[in-house]
Amino acid sequence: IALPHWGNEYETSHAPSQEELARWLAANGADLIVGSHPHVVQDTDMLEVTDAGGNPRKVPVIYSLGNAISNMSAANTQIGLLLNVHVARDCWGSVSDIIPEYVFLWSSLPGRLKDRHCTVKVKDYIGKEKYWRQPYEYRKMVNTYLNIKALTGIED
């Protein structure tokens, strides 16, 4: 698993240099690539590469997980991804399939949901505006969630 610290801050789409490095990492043995740094969730990809034996394989790339804990309030910086990865192996023990699953997280600032910073699963709070001390924060969470899903194509 490769964990690059890369990309342009606050951009929800990956840069060509990220894809170039992802292809290099995949071609050189990475089975999964999970990036960080931009402070926002970026799009994902499934790269098709050929291994050293000439066999094709698919490598999932998550360009940026965004923020899971943050004191930031700028656009798209309070949302992040929790990544669950399911790995299937063939009868010889080799990785045959990697299936990423995504859970969107919201990093709430003190006084908006609770007295302190807290990170919650977005889907657990959809439709529960009454729990928020600051209703605008709830609306910001929902709008950001829908916007990031539309921009990145990530399904949770």
Side-chain angles (χ1 to χ4, degrees), residues 10 18 22 26 34 49 78 83 93 103 107 119-120 129:
Y10 315 116
Q18 287 171 271
V34 182
V49 297
Q78 287 179 260
L83 177 66
V103 176
S107 181
T119 301
V120 298
E129 184 174 355

Side-chain angles (χ1 to χ4, degrees), residues 92-142:
W92 296 279
S94 298
V95 173
S96 63
D97 205 7
I98 296 179
I99 304 161
E101 292 179 353
Y102 308 100
V103 176
F104 280 94
L105 303 174
W106 184 256
S107 181
S108 182
L109 301 175
R112 296 184 181 180
L113 178 61
K114 298 182 180 182
D115 289 334
R116 56 182 167 63
H117 281 89
C118 63
T119 301
V120 298
K121 294 178 182 177
V122 172
K123 280 192 169 180
D124 288 353
Y125 280 83
I126 296 286
K128 297 179 181 176
E129 184 174 355
K130 66 182 179 182
Y131 293 109
W132 294 80
R133 294 179 179 174
Q134 302 293 330
Y136 71 86
E137 174 89 351
Y138 170 80
R139 291 187 297 275
K140 183 178 181 183
M141 177 191 71
V142 172

Side-chain angles (χ1 to χ4, degrees), residues 4-156:
H5 185 260
W6 61 2
N8 299 320
E9 288 187 342
Y10 315 116
E11 292 186 10
T12 55
S13 295
H14 71 277
S17 60
Q18 287 171 271
E19 185 171 343
E20 182 180 334
L21 180 54
R23 288 192 179 284
W24 183 87
L25 290 167
N28 285 279
D31 292 313
L32 174 65
I33 302 164
V34 182
S36 65
H37 173 70
H39 296 292
V40 295
V41 173
Q42 289 186 330
D43 54 322
T44 65
D45 203 353
M46 185 68 74
L47 299 180
E48 294 189 24
V49 297
T50 305
D51 67 18
N55 302 310
R57 61 189 189 93
K58 294 182 179 183
V59 177
V61 181
I62 297 84
Y63 286 104
S64 176
L65 294 174
N67 290 331
I69 300 174
S70 172
N71 198 38
M72 301 174 88
S73 59
N76 303 323
T77 60
Q78 287 179 260
I79 199 159
L81 287 174
L82 171 70
L83 177 66
N84 292 314
V85 180
H86 300 271
V87 179
R89 296 186 177 275
D90 62 23
C91 61
W92 296 279
S94 298
V95 173
S96 63
D97 205 7
I98 296 179
I99 304 161
E101 292 179 353
Y102 308 100
V103 176
F104 280 94
L105 303 174
W106 184 256
S107 181
S108 182
L109 301 175
R112 296 184 181 180
L113 178 61
K114 298 182 180 182
D115 289 334
R116 56 182 167 63
H117 281 89
C118 63
T119 301
V120 298
K121 294 178 182 177
V122 172
K123 280 192 169 180
D124 288 353
Y125 280 83
I126 296 286
K128 297 179 181 176
E129 184 174 355
K130 66 182 179 182
Y131 293 109
W132 294 80
R133 294 179 179 174
Q134 302 293 330
Y136 71 86
E137 174 89 351
Y138 170 80
R139 291 187 297 275
K140 183 178 181 183
M141 177 191 71
V142 172
N143 290 337
T144 302
Y145 168 69
L146 296 173
N147 183 50
I148 289 295
K149 284 182 66 168
L151 288 171
T152 63
I154 297 172
E155 293 295 327
D156 61 337

